[in-house]
């Protein structure tokens, strides 16, 4: 009986966006006997070394207890350059969850994520990356597309299907069969249902696999209020609006 593997997980290193601590992410994966867990912070990879170290410590203890290891998968939730996107609104950007497949992919993902940090003129609060840069460094990187909170997801939810397809058609051309998956996700948001149905149909059309993600930003349901407060700080609003 294989446990669910979380492939879209955001940690405390997604500053003011997620509150899940690395130790708690690993502990939750271990408690579920998950064979692996991914770390895919928003636009940055600052937590990768940390989760690698802590993952090794955890697996040493698990080995002593005769338990299988929890593999740590390295990744990043990338914002993609999008015409007319607003630095004030992350949902106006296209997105792509990228996972490292091998050593080459690790160095390529570093190149992709570093794009906005390499040149002072390129710096932006939302560190989006041109799709051309992702295409240039795609070797050894696995992509998951179809995020509800992306421009694509918002287009699908609003019935702007042809606009949504422009982005997905490009991804379908860039990545081969083994390196692009289409996501479904249920966070209890009503409009997600249409996006999920659309994504499943799209995967059929492209002949691609569907992958379920949790889009994790905190661990337990009771952490929701603390997460809301964190988002309010980020958005400079109060809980009461």
């Amino acid at each position: 009986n294989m446990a669910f593997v979380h492939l879209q997980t955001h940690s405390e290193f997604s500053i003011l966006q997620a509150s899940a601590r690395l130790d708690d992410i690993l502990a939750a994966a271990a408690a579920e006997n998950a064979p692996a867990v991914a770390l895919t912070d928003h636009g940055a990879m600052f937590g990768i070394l940390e989760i690698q170290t802590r993952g090794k410590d955890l697996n040493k203890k698990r080995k002593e207890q005769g338990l299988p290891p929890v593999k740590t998968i390295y990744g990043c939730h990338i914002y993609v350059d999008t015409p007319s996107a607003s630095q004030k609104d992350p949902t106006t950007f296209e997105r792509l969850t990228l996972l490292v497949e091998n050593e080459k992919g690790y160095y390529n993902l570093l190149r992709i994520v570093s794009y906005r940090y390499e040149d002072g003129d390129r710096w932006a609060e939302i560190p989006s990356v041109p799709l051309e840069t992702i295409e240039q460094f795609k070797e050894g990187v696995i992509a998951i597309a179809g995020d509800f909170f992306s421009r694509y997801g918002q287009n699908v939810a609003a019935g702007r299907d042809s606009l949504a397809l422009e982005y997905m058609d490009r991804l379908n051309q860039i990545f081969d069969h083994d390196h692009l998956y289409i996501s479904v996700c249920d966070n209890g948001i009503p409009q997600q249902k249409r996006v999920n149905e659309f994504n499943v149909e799209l995967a059929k059309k492209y002949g691609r696999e569907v992958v379920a993600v949790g889009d994790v930003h905190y661990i337990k349901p009771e952490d929701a209020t603390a997460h809301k407060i964190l988002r309010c700080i980020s958005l400079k609003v109060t809980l009461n609006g």
Side-chain angles (χ1 to χ4, degrees):
N1 221 13
M2 187 173 272
F4 183 76
V5 174
H6 280 283
L7 295 175
Q8 193 170 316
T9 315
H10 313 291
S11 78
E12 57 199 306
F13 286 91
S14 289
I15 310 295
L16 292 181
Q17 295 191 72
S19 50
R21 296 192 176 277
L22 295 182
D23 286 337
D24 295 341
I25 290 169
L26 288 167
E32 290 175 1
N33 273 322
V37 64
L39 181 65
T40 58
D41 279 311
H42 289 269
M45 291 169 70
F46 303 128
I48 297 296
L49 190 62
E50 200 66 39
I51 202 166
Q52 182 187 34
T53 309
R54 293 179 196 205
K56 278 181 180 168
D57 290 345
L58 170 77
N59 287 331
K60 203 173 153 191
K61 286 176 194 152
R62 284 178 69 80
K63 194 175 181 182
E64 286 163 7
Q65 296 164 342
L67 295 167
V70 177
K71 185 181 176 187
T72 47
I73 301 167
Y74 312 131
C76 187
H77 189 63
I78 299 284
Y79 297 99
V80 180
D81 278 4
T82 310
S84 75
S86 159
Q87 280 291 328
K88 302 271 175 252
D89 183 1
T91 63
T92 60
F93 285 85
E94 294 299 3
R95 299 176 180 213
L96 205 51
T97 296
L98 299 179
L99 303 173
V100 166
E101 182 182 29
N102 50 35
E103 191 177 359
K104 176 81 177 168
Y106 177 71
Y107 289 109
N108 274 340
L109 186 55
L110 284 177
R111 293 297 298 270
I112 292 167
V113 174
S114 302
Y115 173 81
R116 282 275 170 190
Y117 303 97
E118 282 174 348
D119 182 337
D121 295 339
R122 283 186 196 159
W123 192 88
E125 201 166 326
I126 295 175
S128 63
V129 178
L131 210 43
E132 293 75 24
T133 303
I134 295 167
E135 185 169 14
Q136 187 184 347
F137 297 110
K138 68 181 180 179
E139 192 187 332
V141 172
I142 294 168
I144 300 173
D147 195 280
F148 172 74
F149 292 101
S150 66
R151 168 70 66 86
Y152 163 81
Q154 300 302 297
N155 278 337
V156 173
R160 297 186 290 264
D161 295 2
S162 59
L163 276 176
L165 285 171
E166 281 175 25
Y167 175 63
M168 282 298 208
D169 284 345
R170 278 198 69 192
L171 293 181
N172 191 45
Q173 287 161 1
I174 290 170
F175 292 97
D176 67 26
H177 181 267
D178 293 334
H179 292 86
L180 175 65
Y181 295 82
I182 311 292
S183 67
V184 290
C185 182
D186 183 2
N187 300 117
I189 302 164
Q191 303 98 305
Q192 263 179 332
K193 192 171 186 296
R194 177 166 206 272
V195 178
N196 286 338
E197 286 166 358
F198 192 87
N199 285 356
V200 169
E201 287 307 311
L202 194 61
K204 278 185 200 157
K205 177 183 147 184
Y206 290 157
R208 292 192 176 272
E209 306 287 333
V210 172
V211 62
V213 298
D215 196 18
V216 176
H217 288 76
Y218 55 91
I219 308 280
K220 298 182 176 121
E222 56 267 32
D223 297 336
T225 306
H227 177 70
K228 275 182 191 158
I229 292 167
L230 187 75
R231 295 301 298 136
C232 285
I233 294 167
S234 172
L235 299 166
K236 299 183 180 65
V237 294
T238 65
L239 271 178
N240 307 324

